[in-house]
Amino acid sequence: MGLKYPITNMYIDSKWGQRPGGNRIPRYSVAHDTGNPGSSAMDNYRYFNSRNLSSSAHVFIDDQDILVIIPLNEKAYHVRQNVSDANEWAAGVELCWGGNIKFEEAYERYVWYFAYLCRQYNWNPELQIKGHFQIDPSRRTDPINAFKRYGKTFTGFITDVKEQLERVKAEEKLMSLLTKGDKGISVRKLQEDLADLGFYKSKIDGIFGLQTETAVRTFQRSYRITVDGKAGPQTVGAIQRALEARSNERILKRGSIGEDVRNLQSKLNALGFKAGAADGIFGELTEKAVREFQGKRSIAADGVAGTETKKELQKALDEKAQRARKPTPRAQVPASDFVYKVQLGAFSSEENAIALAEKAKKAGFDVIVKSERKDD
């Protein structure tokens, strides 16, 4: 599988208790969110590489980085030990969100990385991606905790991973070269992409015939690459770049169809503007939701989502995330001449006292063991 995004291996020191080691092939994965709005992948690396902790994860993903801090063949403490075998056998992947993190970009990397894992280990996304909330439902809500703030669902996430995985498989076949006479899903995807760009206007049937060859030649000529009517790495790469540029620039209005429309609908729904099902079809409900949003943000309410409306949508989502993470002010506590100490326990065995002290130290507490003579 080609790397759409770079993966950075920056491992925490093996001296820390949260990197227990091991040598295994992961059997499945667990989807988490950090629960700490605004903390980046690098912030989490620094935190986990600074002290002994009782928890950890393998990977942290934000809008800039996919950061592997514990090798996937080692254990990590990302799920409660007594509820699952995830620490022994699963890869723990954390989504960073909130603050200055651009959620859509972080989410795209998150989806892609899970597709990457599924491709690498031959996993089925529906069976081998678990949400932390599914494994420990009495105590955990991630990654739903982050998803719901931006109009995402776990079911939708799994669907996105499956679609990304299928695109990757199709792209791998495309990269090997498609020519006249070829058939299948790779040809169908080529036809769909060329149709989206306006170069293919015939039936999308998965058969590389004369019309597909003509469309490829016309595209190649327009983008000034070798004109041979064959879809190889150079042509496929140019098509993908053209699609990305078009998605960023496209004005969405009633009748528009596509992934960018689905993202628009998800964002509107997350903000309380009822765009209906996020089905990728810009219909009456979506148009009405866009108008209502534009009216609230003092934009010309024409029901068309152009550059200004898209920017305001993202800004509104960021503002919502900021409000959600605003801390409750702590009550002011009067200064005191006293300090308060906590006693964890009293033991007749020095060995037991030292064992408990070591556990407390690993949890990040300053602990001392004191001996006193027993009262008569």
Side-chain angles (χ1 to χ4, degrees), residues 192-203:
E192 289 173 348
D193 289 347
L194 288 169
D196 282 346
L197 293 169
F199 290 93
Y200 183 75
K201 304 183 187 303
S202 299
K203 181 181 178 181

Side-chain angles (χ1 to χ4, degrees), residues 230-242:
K230 301 173 183 179
Q234 184 187 33
T235 298
V236 172
I239 289 172
Q240 294 308 309
R241 289 191 295 274

